[in-house]
Amino acid sequence: MITLGIETSCDETALALLESRMGPKQRRAYVGDFECRIVNSLVHSQAALHSAYGGVFPTLAKREHGKNLVPLLNKLLSGSPVPYRATLEPRDIAATALALEDEIARQNPDLFETFIHAEFLKQVPAIDRIAVTEGPGLEPTLWVGINFARLLGLLWHLPVVPVNHMEGHIVGSLLDPDASFGSWQRLQTLRLPAIALLISGGHTELVRIDGIGRYHIIGQTKDDAVGEAFDKVARLLGLPYPGGPHIARLSHEAAMEQISSEVRLPRPMIKSSDLDFSFSGLKTAVLYAIRAHATPDGSLSETFKKGLAREFERAVADTLDSKLRAGIEKTRARTVIVGGGVSANETLRARFEKTAKEYRTHIYLPSRHISGDNALMIALVAALDASPIKPGGRELKAEGTKRLGIPAPPI
């Protein structure tokens, strides 16, 4: 089975092709006969465009997704060894566009315009299903991906599977980070009970995993997500968006130069009895520290910036790690999964690996390609569910605040 994944939840336009196979009796699982191989995976970043705004500008992101999806699909298919199973007439593309024109032309004009002029779409690839992110994320950008999936599904007569973006981060971390594109692989073994720490620009959650598709949120942020805190602190320090890599660079330089911070930042909620997070106070503490050490013209020395970046990164590491440890103890987790864009931070990865070793738990950290938003993880979620898709299933709808499972009762 070949699945086309579509991801447009924020500012990354991503498409992927994943081929999978599993035993005849298997439906939704993560063990047994399931195997997969990455046919192709592409991510087009809009970060440079949004840098001027210091964060993602939703209207711009929506427009760019609409402009980029069709050309990116052409690139994906032309660079993939996927055969074609049929050839349509050009009028079929026009008929498909006409059928959805009232909705899509008004909502996503850039997408609609590129679609009706894409003659390569008349070559129908041997794809079995389409998987698309339905949420959480920015609703205007989610709709672009959903409408593209609807157009392709109608044109190529393929079922469309809606996928939860956060589940993608969980199962994506089970891919072998060392496996090359085109090689068959089995997912890494998920020993239960398990927990996932999901850390990104929009989310900070601890999730108890009772099996693939069975999740319970046991801890979440009360305010800012950790990735959002990185971006806001970077902006305070005059660093570009996205802020995480720039803060990590300054922190690394501080370590190499043995620079210590002149301030001590708080570790929010580190002693609370629950598994929740809070990062707004940490961000405010950085603001006060900057105001206290800035020159009359508002500038900061490079030494101060490096020291503060290192202290901020340490504060985040201490906070996340303390909750992860508490989560392991409360759930008796045998497996730890870390997912989301912030998981690419080397300081955090080293801390989590050290903690997992102490607790003798298995830990799965995603490769760099999987840590950020990508369509490969979206395709994988759909591929893991091999149940027959009923024709005329539930209507596709963008859900910006879609939850992963349900909050669990107190442990």
Side-chain angles (χ1 to χ4, degrees), residues 230 233-240 243 246-255 257 259-263 265 286 289-291 293-295 297-314:
F230 268 102
V233 168
R235 193 184 315 167
L236 292 172
L237 290 172
L239 301 172
H246 297 285
I247 288 179
R249 173 181 54 81
L250 287 184
S251 177
H252 177 71
E253 291 175 3
E257 298 169 22
I259 296 173
S260 299
S261 176
E262 298 179 42
V263 297
L265 296 174
V286 171
I290 289 174
R291 287 178 177 175
H293 291 82
T295 62
D297 64 356
S299 62
L300 297 167
S301 70
E302 285 302 307
T303 299
F304 177 81
K305 285 184 178 180
K306 292 177 182 180
L308 187 60
R310 188 182 185 192
E311 171 65 9
F312 173 76
E313 193 176 57
R314 282 177 166 178

mmCIF file of all heavy atoms in Angstrom, residues 230 233-240 243 246-255 257 259-263 265 286 289-291 293-295 297-314:
data_model
loop_
_atom_site.group_PDB
_atom_site.id
_atom_site.type_symbol
_atom_site.label_atom_id
_atom_site.label_comp_id
_atom_site.label_asym_id
_atom_site.label_seq_id
_atom_site.Cartn_x
_atom_site.Cartn_y
_atom_site.Cartn_z
ATOM 1 N N PHE A 230 10.927 29.614 23.262
ATOM 2 C CA PHE A 230 12.200 29.784 22.563
ATOM 3 C C PHE A 230 12.122 30.940 21.572
ATOM 4 O O PHE A 230 13.027 31.786 21.503
ATOM 5 C CB PHE A 230 12.581 28.495 21.823
ATOM 6 C CG PHE A 230 13.440 27.559 22.621
ATOM 7 C CD1 PHE A 230 12.904 26.433 23.237
ATOM 8 C CD2 PHE A 230 14.802 27.777 22.743
ATOM 9 C CE1 PHE A 230 13.698 25.557 23.963
ATOM 10 C CE2 PHE A 230 15.611 26.915 23.466
ATOM 11 C CZ PHE A 230 15.062 25.797 24.080
ATOM 12 N N VAL A 233 11.837 34.393 23.450
ATOM 13 C CA VAL A 233 13.103 34.776 24.075
ATOM 14 C C VAL A 233 14.113 35.187 23.000
ATOM 15 O O VAL A 233 14.866 36.151 23.171
ATOM 16 C CB VAL A 233 13.647 33.626 24.948
ATOM 17 C CG1 VAL A 233 15.089 33.885 25.360
ATOM 18 C CG2 VAL A 233 12.769 33.461 26.182
ATOM 19 N N ALA A 234 14.132 34.476 21.905
ATOM 20 C CA ALA A 234 15.025 34.832 20.805
ATOM 21 C C ALA A 234 14.712 36.241 20.298
ATOM 22 O O ALA A 234 15.619 37.037 20.011
ATOM 23 C CB ALA A 234 14.888 33.825 19.670
ATOM 24 N N ARG A 235 13.436 36.554 20.199
ATOM 25 C CA ARG A 235 13.045 37.888 19.741
ATOM 26 C C ARG A 235 13.524 38.950 20.724
ATOM 27 O O ARG A 235 13.998 40.015 20.326
ATOM 28 C CB ARG A 235 11.516 37.955 19.595
ATOM 29 C CG ARG A 235 11.015 39.173 18.827
ATOM 30 C CD ARG A 235 9.495 39.218 18.801
ATOM 31 N NE ARG A 235 8.913 37.916 18.495
ATOM 32 C CZ ARG A 235 7.634 37.626 18.650
ATOM 33 N NH1 ARG A 235 6.802 38.539 19.143
ATOM 34 N NH2 ARG A 235 7.174 36.437 18.358
ATOM 35 N N LEU A 236 13.424 38.673 22.029
ATOM 36 C CA LEU A 236 13.905 39.617 23.043
ATOM 37 C C LEU A 236 15.411 39.843 22.923
ATOM 38 O O LEU A 236 15.915 40.940 23.224
ATOM 39 C CB LEU A 236 13.570 39.100 24.443
ATOM 40 C CG LEU A 236 12.084 39.068 24.836
ATOM 41 C CD1 LEU A 236 11.912 38.356 26.179
ATOM 42 C CD2 LEU A 236 11.519 40.480 24.904
ATOM 43 N N LEU A 237 16.125 38.805 22.473
ATOM 44 C CA LEU A 237 17.578 38.910 22.327
ATOM 45 C C LEU A 237 17.987 39.419 20.949
ATOM 46 O O LEU A 237 19.181 39.492 20.642
ATOM 47 C CB LEU A 237 18.218 37.538 22.574
ATOM 48 C CG LEU A 237 18.177 37.028 24.020
ATOM 49 C CD1 LEU A 237 18.665 35.588 24.087
ATOM 50 C CD2 LEU A 237 19.025 37.927 24.924
ATOM 51 N N GLY A 238 16.998 39.756 20.129
ATOM 52 C CA GLY A 238 17.305 40.269 18.799
ATOM 53 C C GLY A 238 17.727 39.196 17.821
ATOM 54 O O GLY A 238 18.420 39.491 16.829
ATOM 55 N N LEU A 239 17.307 37.954 18.049
ATOM 56 C CA LEU A 239 17.680 36.839 17.179
ATOM 57 C C LEU A 239 16.553 36.540 16.188
ATOM 58 O O LEU A 239 15.387 36.811 16.464
ATOM 59 C CB LEU A 239 17.963 35.589 18.020
ATOM 60 C CG LEU A 239 19.076 35.720 19.066
ATOM 61 C CD1 LEU A 239 19.125 34.481 19.946
ATOM 62 C CD2 LEU A 239 20.415 35.949 18.384
ATOM 63 N N PRO A 240 16.877 35.974 15.030
ATOM 64 C CA PRO A 240 15.863 35.690 14.003
ATOM 65 C C PRO A 240 14.916 34.568 14.400
ATOM 66 O O PRO A 240 15.185 33.794 15.309
ATOM 67 C CB PRO A 240 16.698 35.290 12.774
ATOM 68 C CG PRO A 240 18.099 35.708 13.065
ATOM 69 C CD PRO A 240 18.238 35.661 14.559
ATOM 70 N N GLY A 243 13.525 30.799 16.642
ATOM 71 C CA GLY A 243 14.529 31.141 17.636
ATOM 72 C C GLY A 243 15.332 29.998 18.212
ATOM 73 O O GLY A 243 16.458 30.198 18.658
ATOM 74 N N HIS A 246 18.993 29.400 17.067
ATOM 75 C CA HIS A 246 19.874 30.533 17.380
ATOM 76 C C HIS A 246 20.214 30.575 18.871
ATOM 77 O O HIS A 246 21.348 30.873 19.251
ATOM 78 C CB HIS A 246 19.212 31.831 16.929
ATOM 79 C CG HIS A 246 19.004 31.912 15.456
ATOM 80 N ND1 HIS A 246 20.028 32.150 14.563
ATOM 81 C CD2 HIS A 246 17.882 31.753 14.710
ATOM 82 C CE1 HIS A 246 19.555 32.148 13.326
ATOM 83 N NE2 HIS A 246 18.254 31.907 13.393
ATOM 84 N N ILE A 247 19.236 30.263 19.717
ATOM 85 C CA ILE A 247 19.518 30.198 21.152
ATOM 86 C C ILE A 247 20.466 29.034 21.434
ATOM 87 O O ILE A 247 21.397 29.160 22.239
ATOM 88 C CB ILE A 247 18.206 30.043 21.950
ATOM 89 C CG1 ILE A 247 17.426 31.361 21.915
ATOM 90 C CG2 ILE A 247 18.488 29.632 23.396
ATOM 91 C CD1 ILE A 247 16.120 31.325 22.649
ATOM 92 N N ALA A 248 20.252 27.911 20.771
ATOM 93 C CA ALA A 248 21.130 26.753 20.955
ATOM 94 C C ALA A 248 22.566 27.091 20.537
ATOM 95 O O ALA A 248 23.530 26.670 21.192
ATOM 96 C CB ALA A 248 20.610 25.569 20.146
ATOM 97 N N ARG A 249 22.704 27.867 19.461
ATOM 98 C CA ARG A 249 24.052 28.251 19.003
ATOM 99 C C ARG A 249 24.743 29.124 20.039
ATOM 100 O O ARG A 249 25.914 28.892 20.381
ATOM 101 C CB ARG A 249 23.946 28.992 17.667
ATOM 102 C CG ARG A 249 25.271 29.583 17.176
ATOM 103 C CD ARG A 249 25.089 30.322 15.866
ATOM 104 N NE ARG A 249 24.059 31.334 15.932
ATOM 105 C CZ ARG A 249 24.243 32.556 16.437
ATOM 106 N NH1 ARG A 249 25.422 32.901 16.970
ATOM 107 N NH2 ARG A 249 23.261 33.440 16.437
ATOM 108 N N LEU A 250 24.031 30.133 20.562
ATOM 109 C CA LEU A 250 24.626 31.012 21.578
ATOM 110 C C LEU A 250 24.960 30.228 22.844
ATOM 111 O O LEU A 250 26.003 30.453 23.469
ATOM 112 C CB LEU A 250 23.670 32.158 21.910
ATOM 113 C CG LEU A 250 23.506 33.263 20.869
ATOM 114 C CD1 LEU A 250 22.597 34.360 21.413
ATOM 115 C CD2 LEU A 250 24.844 33.855 20.466
ATOM 116 N N SER A 251 24.082 29.315 23.218
ATOM 117 C CA SER A 251 24.322 28.504 24.408
ATOM 118 C C SER A 251 25.560 27.642 24.236
ATOM 119 O O SER A 251 26.371 27.500 25.165
ATOM 120 C CB SER A 251 23.095 27.619 24.688
ATOM 121 O OG SER A 251 23.330 26.770 25.783
ATOM 122 N N HIS A 252 25.718 27.081 23.054
ATOM 123 C CA HIS A 252 26.895 26.251 22.778
ATOM 124 C C HIS A 252 28.172 27.091 22.846
ATOM 125 O O HIS A 252 29.192 26.659 23.410
ATOM 126 C CB HIS A 252 26.759 25.612 21.400
ATOM 127 C CG HIS A 252 27.949 24.793 20.996
ATOM 128 N ND1 HIS A 252 28.250 23.577 21.569
ATOM 129 C CD2 HIS A 252 28.941 25.033 20.087
ATOM 130 C CE1 HIS A 252 29.351 23.096 21.030
ATOM 131 N NE2 HIS A 252 29.795 23.954 20.128
ATOM 132 N N GLU A 253 28.106 28.299 22.291
ATOM 133 C CA GLU A 253 29.275 29.183 22.334
ATOM 134 C C GLU A 253 29.612 29.561 23.772
ATOM 135 O O GLU A 253 30.793 29.645 24.135
ATOM 136 C CB GLU A 253 29.010 30.437 21.497
ATOM 137 C CG GLU A 253 28.939 30.151 19.995
ATOM 138 C CD GLU A 253 28.557 31.386 19.191
ATOM 139 O OE1 GLU A 253 28.404 32.480 19.802
ATOM 140 O OE2 GLU A 253 28.409 31.269 17.960
ATOM 141 N N ALA A 254 28.581 29.760 24.597
ATOM 142 C CA ALA A 254 28.817 30.086 26.003
ATOM 143 C C ALA A 254 29.521 28.931 26.707
ATOM 144 O O ALA A 254 30.435 29.137 27.522
ATOM 145 C CB ALA A 254 27.495 30.404 26.696
ATOM 146 N N ALA A 255 29.098 27.715 26.383
ATOM 147 C CA ALA A 255 29.722 26.540 27.000
ATOM 148 C C ALA A 255 31.177 26.412 26.556
ATOM 149 O O ALA A 255 32.064 26.124 27.373
ATOM 150 C CB ALA A 255 28.939 25.284 26.631
ATOM 151 N N GLU A 257 33.150 28.766 25.569
ATOM 152 C CA GLU A 257 33.934 29.891 26.093
ATOM 153 C C GLU A 257 33.860 29.988 27.608
ATOM 154 O O GLU A 257 34.386 30.933 28.198
ATOM 155 C CB GLU A 257 33.433 31.199 25.461
ATOM 156 C CG GLU A 257 33.589 31.243 23.938
ATOM 157 C CD GLU A 257 32.856 32.413 23.305
ATOM 158 O OE1 GLU A 257 32.582 33.404 24.038
ATOM 159 O OE2 GLU A 257 32.548 32.353 22.100
ATOM 160 N N ILE A 259 31.370 30.718 29.574
ATOM 161 C CA ILE A 259 30.664 31.927 30.009
ATOM 162 C C ILE A 259 29.513 31.522 30.923
ATOM 163 O O ILE A 259 28.694 30.669 30.573
ATOM 164 C CB ILE A 259 30.111 32.708 28.798
ATOM 165 C CG1 ILE A 259 31.255 33.214 27.924
ATOM 166 C CG2 ILE A 259 29.234 33.871 29.261
ATOM 167 C CD1 ILE A 259 30.791 33.841 26.625
ATOM 168 N N SER A 260 29.443 32.118 32.080
ATOM 169 C CA SER A 260 28.357 31.874 33.025
ATOM 170 C C SER A 260 27.355 33.016 32.957
ATOM 171 O O SER A 260 27.729 34.169 32.713
ATOM 172 C CB SER A 260 28.888 31.737 34.454
ATOM 173 O OG SER A 260 29.777 30.638 34.551
ATOM 174 N N SER A 261 26.096 32.693 33.187
ATOM 175 C CA SER A 261 25.066 33.730 33.148
ATOM 176 C C SER A 261 25.140 34.621 34.379
ATOM 177 O O SER A 261 25.464 34.165 35.486
ATOM 178 C CB SER A 261 23.679 33.080 33.074
ATOM 179 O OG SER A 261 22.667 34.056 33.137
ATOM 180 N N GLU A 262 24.831 35.896 34.191
ATOM 181 C CA GLU A 262 24.795 36.844 35.298
ATOM 182 C C GLU A 262 23.484 36.777 36.060
ATOM 183 O O GLU A 262 23.343 37.428 37.094
ATOM 184 C CB GLU A 262 25.008 38.267 34.757
ATOM 185 C CG GLU A 262 26.350 38.481 34.069
ATOM 186 C CD GLU A 262 26.509 39.886 33.540
ATOM 187 O OE1 GLU A 262 26.117 40.843 34.251
ATOM 188 O OE2 GLU A 262 27.009 40.036 32.413
ATOM 189 N N VAL A 263 22.532 36.016 35.543
ATOM 190 C CA VAL A 263 21.223 35.911 36.201
ATOM 191 C C VAL A 263 20.864 34.433 36.388
ATOM 192 O O VAL A 263 21.368 33.559 35.682
ATOM 193 C CB VAL A 263 20.114 36.607 35.384
ATOM 194 C CG1 VAL A 263 20.396 38.094 35.269
ATOM 195 C CG2 VAL A 263 19.983 35.980 34.007
ATOM 196 N N LEU A 265 17.571 32.094 36.262
ATOM 197 C CA LEU A 265 16.180 32.076 35.834
ATOM 198 C C LEU A 265 15.390 31.025 36.613
ATOM 199 O O LEU A 265 15.958 30.027 37.076
ATOM 200 C CB LEU A 265 16.103 31.771 34.332
ATOM 201 C CG LEU A 265 16.725 32.813 33.396
ATOM 202 C CD1 LEU A 265 16.698 32.306 31.951
ATOM 203 C CD2 LEU A 265 16.001 34.154 33.502
ATOM 204 N N VAL A 286 13.169 36.471 31.656
ATOM 205 C CA VAL A 286 14.184 36.855 30.665
ATOM 206 C C VAL A 286 14.035 38.333 30.301
ATOM 207 O O VAL A 286 15.024 39.063 30.191
ATOM 208 C CB VAL A 286 14.074 35.974 29.406
ATOM 209 C CG1 VAL A 286 14.974 36.507 28.289
ATOM 210 C CG2 VAL A 286 14.435 34.532 29.729
ATOM 211 N N ALA A 289 15.442 40.446 33.054
ATOM 212 C CA ALA A 289 16.901 40.353 33.076
ATOM 213 C C ALA A 289 17.520 41.223 31.981
ATOM 214 O O ALA A 289 18.536 41.894 32.199
ATOM 215 C CB ALA A 289 17.340 38.903 32.897
ATOM 216 N N ILE A 290 16.895 41.229 30.817
ATOM 217 C CA ILE A 290 17.391 42.044 29.714
ATOM 218 C C ILE A 290 17.268 43.520 30.046
ATOM 219 O O ILE A 290 18.190 44.312 29.805
ATOM 220 C CB ILE A 290 16.631 41.694 28.425
ATOM 221 C CG1 ILE A 290 17.053 40.301 27.934
ATOM 222 C CG2 ILE A 290 16.878 42.744 27.336
ATOM 223 C CD1 ILE A 290 16.251 39.800 26.757
ATOM 224 N N ARG A 291 16.153 43.900 30.601
ATOM 225 C CA ARG A 291 15.958 45.314 30.970
ATOM 226 C C ARG A 291 16.978 45.757 32.016
ATOM 227 O O ARG A 291 17.488 46.881 31.966
ATOM 228 C CB ARG A 291 14.547 45.516 31.509
ATOM 229 C CG ARG A 291 13.456 45.471 30.451
ATOM 230 C CD ARG A 291 12.077 45.631 31.083
ATOM 231 N NE ARG A 291 11.017 45.653 30.081
ATOM 232 C CZ ARG A 291 9.723 45.683 30.379
ATOM 233 N NH1 ARG A 291 9.337 45.690 31.670
ATOM 234 N NH2 ARG A 291 8.817 45.710 29.421
ATOM 235 N N HIS A 293 20.026 44.645 32.465
ATOM 236 C CA HIS A 293 21.424 44.611 32.032
ATOM 237 C C HIS A 293 21.677 45.327 30.711
ATOM 238 O O HIS A 293 22.819 45.363 30.240
ATOM 239 C CB HIS A 293 21.888 43.151 31.912
ATOM 240 C CG HIS A 293 22.011 42.454 33.228
ATOM 241 N ND1 HIS A 293 20.929 41.906 33.882
ATOM 242 C CD2 HIS A 293 23.090 42.226 34.028
ATOM 243 C CE1 HIS A 293 21.329 41.360 35.016
ATOM 244 N NE2 HIS A 293 22.624 41.537 35.136
ATOM 245 N N ALA A 294 20.622 45.894 30.120
ATOM 246 C CA ALA A 294 20.803 46.613 28.859
ATOM 247 C C ALA A 294 21.450 47.970 29.103
ATOM 248 O O ALA A 294 21.290 48.587 30.166
ATOM 249 C CB ALA A 294 19.455 46.785 28.164
ATOM 250 N N THR A 295 22.194 48.451 28.142
ATOM 251 C CA THR A 295 22.785 49.794 28.204
ATOM 252 C C THR A 295 21.682 50.825 27.990
ATOM 253 O O THR A 295 20.565 50.480 27.587
ATOM 254 C CB THR A 295 23.865 49.936 27.126
ATOM 255 O OG1 THR A 295 23.247 49.774 25.839
ATOM 256 C CG2 THR A 295 24.962 48.896 27.309
ATOM 257 N N ASP A 297 21.049 52.701 25.653
ATOM 258 C CA ASP A 297 20.468 52.671 24.304
ATOM 259 C C ASP A 297 19.769 51.338 24.005
ATOM 260 O O ASP A 297 19.316 51.091 22.882
ATOM 261 C CB ASP A 297 21.535 52.936 23.238
ATOM 262 C CG ASP A 297 22.613 51.842 23.199
ATOM 263 O OD1 ASP A 297 22.558 50.925 24.044
ATOM 264 O OD2 ASP A 297 23.497 51.929 22.330
ATOM 265 N N GLY A 298 19.677 50.464 25.019
ATOM 266 C CA GLY A 298 18.944 49.209 24.876
ATOM 267 C C GLY A 298 19.750 48.041 24.350
ATOM 268 O O GLY A 298 19.198 46.960 24.144
ATOM 269 N N SER A 299 21.032 48.200 24.147
ATOM 270 C CA SER A 299 21.846 47.117 23.598
ATOM 271 C C SER A 299 22.361 46.194 24.706
ATOM 272 O O SER A 299 22.388 46.553 25.883
ATOM 273 C CB SER A 299 23.026 47.686 22.812
ATOM 274 O OG SER A 299 23.860 48.450 23.656
ATOM 275 N N LEU A 300 22.762 45.000 24.307
ATOM 276 C CA LEU A 300 23.296 43.997 25.225
ATOM 277 C C LEU A 300 24.644 43.510 24.705
ATOM 278 O O LEU A 300 24.861 43.416 23.497
ATOM 279 C CB LEU A 300 22.346 42.800 25.323
ATOM 280 C CG LEU A 300 20.943 43.055 25.883
ATOM 281 C CD1 LEU A 300 20.061 41.844 25.600
ATOM 282 C CD2 LEU A 300 21.001 43.332 27.373
ATOM 283 N N SER A 301 25.537 43.197 25.604
ATOM 284 C CA SER A 301 26.828 42.659 25.190
ATOM 285 C C SER A 301 26.642 41.230 24.697
ATOM 286 O O SER A 301 25.730 40.522 25.122
ATOM 287 C CB SER A 301 27.820 42.676 26.356
ATOM 288 O OG SER A 301 27.459 41.719 27.335
ATOM 289 N N GLU A 302 27.508 40.800 23.797
ATOM 290 C CA GLU A 302 27.441 39.434 23.277
ATOM 291 C C GLU A 302 27.690 38.419 24.391
ATOM 292 O O GLU A 302 27.103 37.343 24.394
ATOM 293 C CB GLU A 302 28.459 39.254 22.148
ATOM 294 C CG GLU A 302 28.053 39.899 20.838
ATOM 295 C CD GLU A 302 26.723 39.380 20.322
ATOM 296 O OE1 GLU A 302 26.579 38.136 20.210
ATOM 297 O OE2 GLU A 302 25.832 40.201 20.047
ATOM 298 N N THR A 303 28.550 38.777 25.320
ATOM 299 C CA THR A 303 28.820 37.879 26.437
ATOM 300 C C THR A 303 27.569 37.648 27.271
ATOM 301 O O THR A 303 27.261 36.513 27.667
ATOM 302 C CB THR A 303 29.939 38.440 27.332
ATOM 303 O OG1 THR A 303 31.134 38.558 26.565
ATOM 304 C CG2 THR A 303 30.201 37.540 28.525
ATOM 305 N N PHE A 304 26.824 38.728 27.529
ATOM 306 C CA PHE A 304 25.587 38.600 28.300
ATOM 307 C C PHE A 304 24.572 37.751 27.539
ATOM 308 O O PHE A 304 23.908 36.884 28.130
ATOM 309 C CB PHE A 304 24.990 39.980 28.600
ATOM 310 C CG PHE A 304 23.672 39.912 29.331
ATOM 311 C CD1 PHE A 304 23.633 39.711 30.701
ATOM 312 C CD2 PHE A 304 22.469 40.020 28.633
ATOM 313 C CE1 PHE A 304 22.407 39.618 31.369
ATOM 314 C CE2 PHE A 304 21.256 39.934 29.292
ATOM 315 C CZ PHE A 304 21.225 39.742 30.667
ATOM 316 N N LYS A 305 24.439 37.983 26.234
ATOM 317 C CA LYS A 305 23.492 37.222 25.431
ATOM 318 C C LYS A 305 23.798 35.727 25.476
ATOM 319 O O LYS A 305 22.900 34.896 25.643
ATOM 320 C CB LYS A 305 23.520 37.697 23.972
ATOM 321 C CG LYS A 305 22.846 39.031 23.714
ATOM 322 C CD LYS A 305 22.863 39.326 22.220
ATOM 323 C CE LYS A 305 22.167 40.627 21.894
ATOM 324 N NZ LYS A 305 22.189 40.894 20.436
ATOM 325 N N LYS A 306 25.070 35.411 25.340
ATOM 326 C CA LYS A 306 25.455 34.001 25.347
ATOM 327 C C LYS A 306 25.176 33.358 26.699
ATOM 328 O O LYS A 306 24.644 32.246 26.787
ATOM 329 C CB LYS A 306 26.931 33.860 24.984
ATOM 330 C CG LYS A 306 27.247 34.226 23.544
ATOM 331 C CD LYS A 306 28.744 34.143 23.257
ATOM 332 C CE LYS A 306 29.059 34.546 21.824
ATOM 333 N NZ LYS A 306 30.508 34.483 21.521
ATOM 334 N N GLY A 307 25.516 34.064 27.764
ATOM 335 C CA GLY A 307 25.278 33.531 29.100
ATOM 336 C C GLY A 307 23.796 33.356 29.381
ATOM 337 O O GLY A 307 23.378 32.346 29.972
ATOM 338 N N LEU A 308 22.995 34.334 28.951
ATOM 339 C CA LEU A 308 21.555 34.244 29.184
ATOM 340 C C LEU A 308 20.930 33.124 28.347
ATOM 341 O O LEU A 308 20.042 32.402 28.826
ATOM 342 C CB LEU A 308 20.882 35.585 28.855
ATOM 343 C CG LEU A 308 19.392 35.697 29.203
ATOM 344 C CD1 LEU A 308 19.178 35.483 30.700
ATOM 345 C CD2 LEU A 308 18.846 37.064 28.781
ATOM 346 N N ALA A 309 21.389 32.977 27.110
ATOM 347 C CA ALA A 309 20.880 31.892 26.272
ATOM 348 C C ALA A 309 21.181 30.540 26.901
ATOM 349 O O ALA A 309 20.338 29.630 26.901
ATOM 350 C CB ALA A 309 21.508 31.972 24.876
ATOM 351 N N ARG A 310 22.370 30.396 27.443
ATOM 352 C CA ARG A 310 22.734 29.129 28.094
ATOM 353 C C ARG A 310 21.882 28.883 29.334
ATOM 354 O O ARG A 310 21.411 27.759 29.560
ATOM 355 C CB ARG A 310 24.210 29.159 28.472
ATOM 356 C CG ARG A 310 24.732 27.806 28.971
ATOM 357 C CD ARG A 310 26.190 27.887 29.376
ATOM 358 N NE ARG A 310 26.706 26.566 29.733
ATOM 359 C CZ ARG A 310 27.856 26.362 30.336
ATOM 360 N NH1 ARG A 310 28.646 27.396 30.626
ATOM 361 N NH2 ARG A 310 28.250 25.140 30.642
ATOM 362 N N GLU A 311 21.639 29.920 30.120
ATOM 363 C CA GLU A 311 20.820 29.774 31.316
ATOM 364 C C GLU A 311 19.376 29.451 30.941
ATOM 365 O O GLU A 311 18.728 28.618 31.597
ATOM 366 C CB GLU A 311 20.882 31.054 32.145
ATOM 367 C CG GLU A 311 19.905 31.131 33.323
ATOM 368 C CD GLU A 311 20.164 30.091 34.405
ATOM 369 O OE1 GLU A 311 21.216 29.385 34.357
ATOM 370 O OE2 GLU A 311 19.318 29.968 35.315
ATOM 371 N N PHE A 312 18.864 30.093 29.898
ATOM 372 C CA PHE A 312 17.494 29.809 29.460
ATOM 373 C C PHE A 312 17.372 28.364 28.991
ATOM 374 O O PHE A 312 16.420 27.659 29.361
ATOM 375 C CB PHE A 312 17.085 30.758 28.328
ATOM 376 C CG PHE A 312 15.762 30.413 27.708
ATOM 377 C CD1 PHE A 312 14.570 30.702 28.364
ATOM 378 C CD2 PHE A 312 15.693 29.776 26.477
ATOM 379 C CE1 PHE A 312 13.343 30.372 27.811
ATOM 380 C CE2 PHE A 312 14.476 29.437 25.908
ATOM 381 C CZ PHE A 312 13.297 29.742 26.576
ATOM 382 N N GLU A 313 18.329 27.908 28.195
ATOM 383 C CA GLU A 313 18.284 26.531 27.715
ATOM 384 C C GLU A 313 18.355 25.544 28.876
ATOM 385 O O GLU A 313 17.650 24.520 28.887
ATOM 386 C CB GLU A 313 19.436 26.301 26.739
ATOM 387 C CG GLU A 313 19.323 25.010 25.940
ATOM 388 C CD GLU A 313 20.436 24.866 24.926
ATOM 389 O OE1 GLU A 313 21.622 24.904 25.337
ATOM 390 O OE2 GLU A 313 20.135 24.729 23.730
ATOM 391 N N ARG A 314 19.177 25.853 29.869
ATOM 392 C CA ARG A 314 19.276 24.993 31.053
ATOM 393 C C ARG A 314 17.966 24.983 31.837
ATOM 394 O O ARG A 314 17.538 23.944 32.347
ATOM 395 C CB ARG A 314 20.407 25.472 31.957
ATOM 396 C CG ARG A 314 21.801 25.077 31.488
ATOM 397 C CD ARG A 314 22.847 25.668 32.408
ATOM 398 N NE ARG A 314 24.167 25.084 32.215
ATOM 399 C CZ ARG A 314 25.253 25.471 32.871
ATOM 400 N NH1 ARG A 314 25.161 26.442 33.780
ATOM 401 N NH2 ARG A 314 26.414 24.888 32.641
#
